[in-house]
């Protein structure tokens, strides 16, 4: 009997041991100069769970040391795709991290020999974190190759299956143009973010930083961008361009019954000198959201944030943010950054909440909703506008089309719900709006003159914005209410709060922020969340 018991014991134990070994977290190092597991980041990514077969999707990590790493879409020996993380899940919890090693500032630059796809493609399923990395375009030449309209540093798409999830966290990263001249030799980031807007002929610029473009896809996509800078994207559709349809009816999914999600959260991030910061199109599901907290949008020539083309029921939130025209100047006509900051059109339906916002946009509207050719003229939106400081010169804080100019008196459109309070503006609403809109916004206007002299710092200069890796309104005085004008704004916000907009009041402590978990001890700008 003892012999039988021992045999049974070994039969029971042996199958368990390999599972334990396979799910252990793995870490590989990358150093362009040698002395590490890999000298090329593309090979470290391409061999994850393939080829060399390191890692198993259980808190695996790539530590990237100082150096220049050329990134492109070439295939490694054995036809291993070096940019696609094709399902990270493996035998573990599905987490995978690519981050700068302690004290390192690695540069990820476009490989001129392989320019047709993203640096990193997060596909199907998994939880991927990118941290402490600097992304730049191609040294010495433009990054535009005849119709490659969706080149982006990072791409993310979930599998075509309900309930499958891709989670992407981009933290402490800088996306900017390359000021080097020779790829792989002197690639370097432009850290003065106050320069001219790039176009398709601008050396070193890149098209986008993030793209989701797998149309007719199902599954969840959850993207967080925090403590980062996004600058010098030359793509007119946006540095972040989300084109992915979810719950497409051709796949047999019912948008009203599906649990599929597409959520974006952006915190402590500076968008500067891009053709456009953000565009989101072609969404047909109701369970989508985009939240911007403590962000600055500076120096953009067109609509900065735009939602269009069948977006349905999406929730968009701006909390303690600011926008400024920056250096976009046309000498003859004044600012050409006079296009709307936030625009919804082409039959899109977006619910909007704005709380604490400063706008110095130029000569147009801050927030604009357009029904286009859609009927009826009245929309389905729920809109909340609170604690907004609108510097003199904008056409309005809020505009809703169709208005009197479109269809004539008595045919103006309006949202389903509009709530407003604590607005400082010399021109809160256009006189061509629906009477209900005009009444609500005029009643919410508590200050009717916001000259630039009320503000502490209105200069979009290199001295203020160069060499930073994230936006922090507490330490940066840009568009703060000056101490000399503070009495005009103290106590004038919603429910008696101080009206500081998306900045601060000089010498006044802001409200205590809602505590949030600190995602990493390596992040330096999370003090306001502690």
């Amino acid at each position: 009997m003892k012999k039988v018991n021992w045999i049974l014991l070994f039969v029971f134990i042996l199958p368990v041991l390999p599972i334990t070994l396979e799910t252990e977290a793995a870490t590989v190092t990358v150093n362009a100069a040698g002395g590490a597991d890999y000298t090329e980041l593309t090979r470290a990514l391409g061999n994850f769970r393939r080829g060399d077969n390191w890692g198993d999707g259980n808190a695996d990590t790539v530590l990237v040391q100082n150096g220049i790493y050329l990134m492109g879409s070439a295939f490694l020996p054995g036809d291993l795709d070096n940019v696609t993380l094709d399902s990270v899940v493996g035998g573990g919890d599905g987490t995978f991290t690519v981050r700068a090693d302690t004290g390192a500032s690695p540069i990820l630059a476009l490989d001129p020999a392989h320019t047709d796809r993203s640096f990193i493609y997060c596909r199907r399923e998994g939880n991927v974190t990118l941290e402490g990395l600097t992304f730049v375009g191609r040294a010495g030449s433009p990054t535009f190759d005849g119709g490659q309209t969706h080149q982006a540093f990072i791409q993310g798409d979930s599998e075509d299956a309900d309930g499958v999830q891709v989670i992407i966290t981009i933290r402490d990263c800088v996306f900017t143009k390359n000021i080097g001249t020779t790829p792989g030799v002197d690639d370097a980031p432009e850290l003065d973010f106050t320069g001219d807007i790039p176009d398709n002929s601008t050396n070193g610029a890149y098209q986008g930083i993030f793209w989701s473009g797998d149309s007719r896809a199902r599954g969840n996509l959850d993207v967080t961008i925090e403590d980062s800078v996004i600058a010098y994207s030359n793509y007119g559709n946006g540095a972040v361009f989300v084109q992915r349809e979810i719950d497409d009816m051709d796949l047999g999914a019912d948008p009203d019954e599906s649990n599929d999600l597409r959520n974006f959260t952006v915190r402590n991030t500076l968008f500067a000198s891009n053709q456009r910061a953000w565009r989101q199109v072609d969404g047909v599901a109701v369970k989508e959201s985009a939240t911007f907290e403590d962000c600055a949008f500076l120096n953009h020539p067109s609509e900065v944030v735009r939602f269009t083309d069948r977006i349905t029921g999406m929730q968009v939130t701006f909390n303690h943010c600011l926008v400024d025209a920056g250096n976009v100047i046309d000498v003859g006509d004044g600012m050409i950054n006079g296009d709307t900051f936030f625009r919804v059109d082409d039959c899109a339906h977006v619910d909007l909440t704005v709380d604490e916002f400063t706008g110095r946009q130029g000569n147009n509207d801050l927030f604009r909703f357009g029904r286009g050719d859609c009927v009826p003229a009245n929309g389905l939106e729920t809109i909340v506008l609170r604690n907004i400081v609108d510097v003199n010169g904008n056409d309005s804080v809020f505009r809703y089309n169709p208005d009197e100019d479109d269809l004539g008196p008595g045919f103006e459109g309006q949202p389903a719900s509009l709530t407003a309070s604590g607005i400082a503006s010399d021109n809160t609403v256009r006189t061509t709006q629906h009477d209900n809109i005009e009444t609500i916004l005029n009643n919410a206007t508590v200050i009717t003159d916001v000259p630039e002299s009320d503000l502490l710092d209105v200069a979009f200069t290199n001295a203020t914005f160069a060499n930073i890796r994230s936006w922090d309104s507490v330490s940066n005085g840009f568009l703060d209410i000056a101490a000399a004008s503070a009495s005009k704004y103290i106590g004038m916000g919603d429910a008696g709060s101080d009206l500081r907009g998306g900045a601060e009041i000089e010498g006044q402590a802001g409200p205590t922020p809602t505590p949030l978990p600190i995602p990493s001890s390596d992040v330096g700008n999370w003090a306001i969340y502690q």
Side-chain angles (χ1 to χ4, degrees), residues 43-97:
R43 292 185 180 275
L45 298 178
N47 282 286
F48 173 67
R49 300 187 64 223
R50 300 167 296 190
D52 296 347
N53 201 32
W54 75 270
D56 197 34
N58 187 55
D60 301 313
T61 301
V62 180
L63 291 179
V64 190
Q65 297 168 1
N66 277 330
I68 296 170
Y69 300 91
L70 294 182
M71 305 292 293
S73 59
F75 283 83
L76 305 178
D79 292 329
L80 298 177
D81 188 333
N82 69 341
V83 298
T84 301
L85 300 175
D86 197 2
S87 187
V88 174
V89 174
D93 61 5
T95 59
F96 180 74
T97 298

Side-chain angles (χ1 to χ4, degrees), residues 161-466:
D162 288 329
V164 175
Q165 186 169 30
V166 169
I167 302 172
I168 303 172
T169 300
I170 301 168
R171 179 183 302 131
D172 191 27
C173 290
V174 172
F175 303 86
T176 184
K177 65 183 179 182
N178 193 334
I179 58 175
T181 59
T182 306
V185 177
D186 63 351
D187 300 85
E190 175 61 86
L191 297 178
D192 175 0
F193 305 118
T194 63
D196 295 333
I197 306 296
D199 57 26
N200 291 337
S201 64
T202 302
N203 287 349
Y206 205 71
Q207 286 201 273
I209 74 107
F210 182 87
W211 176 48
S212 180
D214 182 8
S215 62
R216 298 183 176 182
R218 286 183 289 167
N220 301 337
L221 178 64
D222 195 328
V223 179
T224 299
I225 304 172
E226 55 197 12
D227 295 301
S228 295
V229 174
I230 298 171
Y232 295 117
S233 163
N234 66 7
Y235 191 25
N237 269 324
V240 175
F241 184 37
V242 183
Q243 197 180 21
R244 170 180 174 270
E245 298 180 29
I246 59 176
D247 294 331
D248 194 284
M249 297 307 294
D250 291 345
L251 292 174
D254 184 345
D256 294 326
E257 297 179 359
S258 172
N259 292 319
D260 291 351
L261 304 171
R262 180 168 61 178
N263 297 321
F264 295 85
T265 302
V266 187
R267 299 189 188 101
N268 305 337
T269 294
L270 170 65
F271 293 83
S273 303
N274 302 291
Q275 282 284 347
R276 174 180 280 129
W278 193 286
R279 188 178 183 192
Q280 204 153 337
V281 304
D282 290 336
V284 297
V286 298
K287 296 174 181 178
E288 299 181 307
S289 69
T291 300
F292 302 88
E293 300 177 348
D294 296 286
C295 293
F297 304 85
L298 309 175
N299 204 30
H300 296 84
S302 61
E303 301 109 333
V304 184
V305 179
R306 186 173 183 179
F307 295 85
T308 184
D309 300 338
R310 299 188 300 126
I311 295 285
T312 305
M314 183 173 183
Q315 175 62 51
V316 181
T317 301
F318 294 92
N319 183 21
H320 201 223
C321 296
L322 59 84
V323 59
D324 183 76
N327 289 339
V328 184
I329 300 294
D330 180 332
V331 176
D333 301 323
M335 293 181 180
I336 63 171
N337 193 23
D339 215 333
T340 301
F341 163 68
F342 173 89
R343 185 170 181 175
V344 179
D345 56 9
D346 293 343
C347 302
H349 161 208
V350 171
D351 293 333
L352 173 67
T353 298
V354 181
D355 192 359
E356 297 188 340
F357 191 93
T358 295
R360 184 174 172 261
Q361 177 68 0
N363 58 356
N364 213 288
D365 312 291
L366 283 181
F367 301 94
R368 179 177 178 180
F369 285 71
R371 297 288 296 164
D373 296 330
C374 302
V375 291
N378 293 336
L380 303 173
E381 306 88 355
T382 296
I383 299 169
V384 178
L385 306 173
R386 290 191 296 255
N387 302 316
I388 296 174
V389 176
D390 173 37
V391 181
N392 291 351
N394 291 333
D395 284 343
S396 74
V397 170
F398 177 78
R399 181 182 181 184
Y400 196 94
N401 292 96
D403 60 9
E404 185 177 305
D405 289 340
D406 299 317
L407 299 178
F411 294 95
E412 304 92 339
Q414 62 178 324
S417 174
L418 173 62
T419 303
S421 59
I423 296 178
S425 174
D426 68 330
N427 200 12
T428 304
V429 60
R430 294 172 181 250
T431 59
T432 57
Q433 296 288 277
H434 193 287
D435 288 346
N436 289 342
I437 295 176
E438 293 186 30
T439 298
I440 291 169
L441 291 178
N442 285 328
N443 289 340
T445 304
V446 295
I447 298 173
T448 58
D449 183 29
V450 187
E452 289 189 357
S453 58
D454 281 1
L455 305 179
L456 177 64
D457 182 4
V458 295
F460 180 57
T461 63
N462 179 38
T464 304
F465 291 97

Side-chain angles (χ1 to χ4, degrees), residues 89-136:
V89 174
D93 61 5
T95 59
F96 180 74
T97 298
V98 183
R99 68 176 177 88
D101 204 352
T102 303
S105 298
I107 297 171
L108 281 58
L110 180 65
D111 184 345
H114 305 287
T115 62
D116 63 339
R117 200 140 54 90
S118 307
F119 284 18
I120 299 173
Y121 182 13
C122 306
R123 181 173 180 263
R124 291 189 177 175
E125 189 172 15
N127 186 340
V128 178
T129 296
L130 307 173
E131 185 172 355
L133 309 173
T134 298
F135 296 77
V136 297

